[in-house]
Amino acid sequence: MNEYIQQILAILQELLDEHRQLIEYGKAKTEAITKNSIETISYIAGKEKKLLEHILELEQRRTFLVGKYMLSQKVTGQRSFKMEKLIQAVFHAEEKQQLQNKWKELSAVIHELQDINEFNQQLVKMTLEYLHFTQDLLLGPEEEDVTYHRAVQGMANNRNSRFNIRT
């Protein structure tokens, strides 16, 4: 097996492991959001940041190795280092199959991670809307300022509630 392909497969496996770890963090973040645990969310965000930095390094190495493989196979004119282009350029069936399997597996894990992130974003949005709604219920509309101002400004100065009860 080509040494570049072996190294690329090893990096794809590392990327797969790192993305699976991100999924675990995403699930833990979902739980922390539902429990309103700001400390836990902050802790997880720090861990995710370190993991993302490592993923970026792995991606750079993968891109470099794909370029080296393309040069070693005398494939010129390729400015794109996408996995699809690499898979097309590989001639050995076993190498091609292994690359396709790893790439499909990584793509599925990335898709799952995207779903978890979208869900967490929706949870945060709903929590914020609930907090705004509760604030509006408890505090009511904001009072006008005590200072003098023009009549037109005074009418437009009322607090615009996200959940305006009067409409």
Side-chain angles (χ1 to χ4, degrees):
M1 181 179 283
N2 186 296
E3 67 177 285
Y4 294 124
I5 298 298
Q6 286 177 334
Q7 292 175 357
I8 291 168
L9 285 168
I11 288 176
L12 288 175
Q13 184 60 50
E14 280 187 74
L15 284 168
L16 194 57
D17 295 340
E18 299 293 7
H19 281 86
R20 284 184 178 139
Q21 184 61 49
L22 280 176
I23 287 174
E24 293 303 314
Y25 286 152
K27 290 176 181 177
K29 196 186 291 185
T30 300
E31 189 174 321
I33 292 169
T34 57
K35 292 181 180 179
N36 287 330
S37 177
I38 303 300
E39 296 83 18
T40 305
I41 294 170
S42 177
Y43 175 77
I44 293 170
K47 292 283 193 180
E48 285 176 327
K49 183 180 177 186
K50 289 179 185 175
L51 213 52
L52 288 172
E53 289 171 358
H54 187 242
I55 287 173
L56 285 174
E57 289 174 19
L58 289 172
E59 268 302 310
Q60 288 174 346
R61 284 183 22 213
R62 183 198 60 81
T63 302
F64 176 74
L65 287 170
V66 169
K68 295 270 280 183
Y69 176 80
M70 295 293 202
L71 286 174
S72 74
Q73 298 300 311
K74 311 270 190 280
V75 179
T76 57
Q78 287 287 339
R79 300 298 264 161
S80 173
F81 298 115
K82 294 183 179 182
M83 286 301 297
E84 292 84 5
K85 297 288 185 186
L86 172 66
I87 292 170
Q88 289 174 357
V90 172
F91 297 110
H92 298 308
E94 180 184 333
E95 292 175 349
K96 185 178 282 236
Q97 188 63 42
Q98 287 180 347
L99 285 170
Q100 285 175 332
N101 290 342
K102 282 290 180 214
W103 186 243
K104 284 180 185 177
E105 195 175 352
L106 182 59
S107 295
V109 168
I110 289 172
H111 184 71
E112 182 181 353
L113 180 61
Q114 287 172 336
D115 290 344
I116 289 171
N117 284 338
E118 286 176 19
F119 181 72
N120 284 343
Q121 287 176 352
Q122 290 298 322
L123 273 178
V124 168
K125 183 179 177 185
M126 288 171 40
T127 302
L128 288 174
E129 287 176 354
Y130 175 75
L131 290 173
H132 285 292
F133 176 72
T134 305
Q135 179 184 12
D136 289 343
L137 284 177
L138 293 174
L139 300 177
E142 195 173 280
E143 298 296 325
E144 288 186 25
D145 292 334
V146 180
T147 60
Y148 293 104
H149 51 285
R150 294 186 181 141
V152 175
Q153 287 177 334
M155 291 170 32
N157 227 9
N158 287 341
R159 179 174 169 201
N160 288 328
S161 167
R162 190 174 266 210
F163 301 96
N164 197 346
I165 299 171
R166 295 182 216 162
T167 55

